[in-house]
């Protein structure tokens, strides 16, 4: 190879690597009825269950998450970012409503 120095490897080929960027951002709303753990109920509903951690922050002083029971409902509006139709990042809660089942 002309201009090559014996014993010195050729320089690597530079490649640009970019992180995937959201194709879409849209607000979604979901109603979840508690059947056990809210984390699992959100996962079954098809959203990132980490949304339950955000709900815990939102309702920290109004809902006792150790005492939620079957039949309680949560409605959450959140921003979902997708790449190629697949969720790209955990949704961020925009507003939420908690409804306790009357006993």
């Amino acid at each position: 190879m002309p201009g090559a120095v014996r014993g010195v490897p050729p320089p690597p080929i530079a490649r640009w690597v970019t992180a995937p960027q959201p194709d879409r951002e849209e607000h979604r709303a979901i109603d979840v009825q508690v059947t056990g753990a809210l984390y699992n109920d959100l996962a079954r509903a098809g959203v990132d269950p980490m949304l339950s951690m955000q709900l815990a922050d939102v309702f920290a002083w109004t809902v006792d998450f150790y005492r939620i029971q079957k039949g309680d409902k949560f409605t959450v509006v959140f921003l979902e970012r997708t790449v190629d139709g697949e969720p790209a990042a955990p949704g961020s809660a925009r507003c939420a409503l908690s409804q306790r089942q009357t006993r």
Side-chain angles (χ1 to χ4, degrees), residues 2 10 19 21 27 36-37 40-42 44 48 50 52 54 56 58-59 70 73 75 82 87-88 92 97-98 103:
Q21 298 299 314
H27 285 93
N40 295 332
D41 293 328
L42 287 168
R44 270 192 293 278
D48 188 334
M50 292 306 291
S52 65
Q54 292 180 36
V58 169
F59 292 114
K70 289 183 180 181
K73 294 180 184 178
T75 302
T82 59
S92 55
L97 172 67
S98 168
R103 290 158 180 66

Side-chain angles (χ1 to χ4, degrees), residues 5-44:
V5 177
R6 184 174 284 220
V8 176
I13 298 173
R15 291 193 178 124
W16 288 100
V17 179
T18 58
Q21 298 299 314
D23 282 343
R24 288 182 77 181
E25 290 184 342
E26 65 180 333
H27 285 93
R28 284 187 55 200
I30 189 162
D31 292 315
V32 176
Q33 184 167 356
V34 176
T35 61
L38 181 59
Y39 184 94
N40 295 332
D41 293 328
L42 287 168
R44 270 192 293 278

Side-chain angles (χ1 to χ4, degrees), residues 51 54-55 58 76-79 91-96:
L51 211 49
Q54 292 180 36
L55 290 176
V58 169
V76 185
V77 176
F78 61 98
L79 182 66
S92 55
R94 297 301 190 208
C95 63

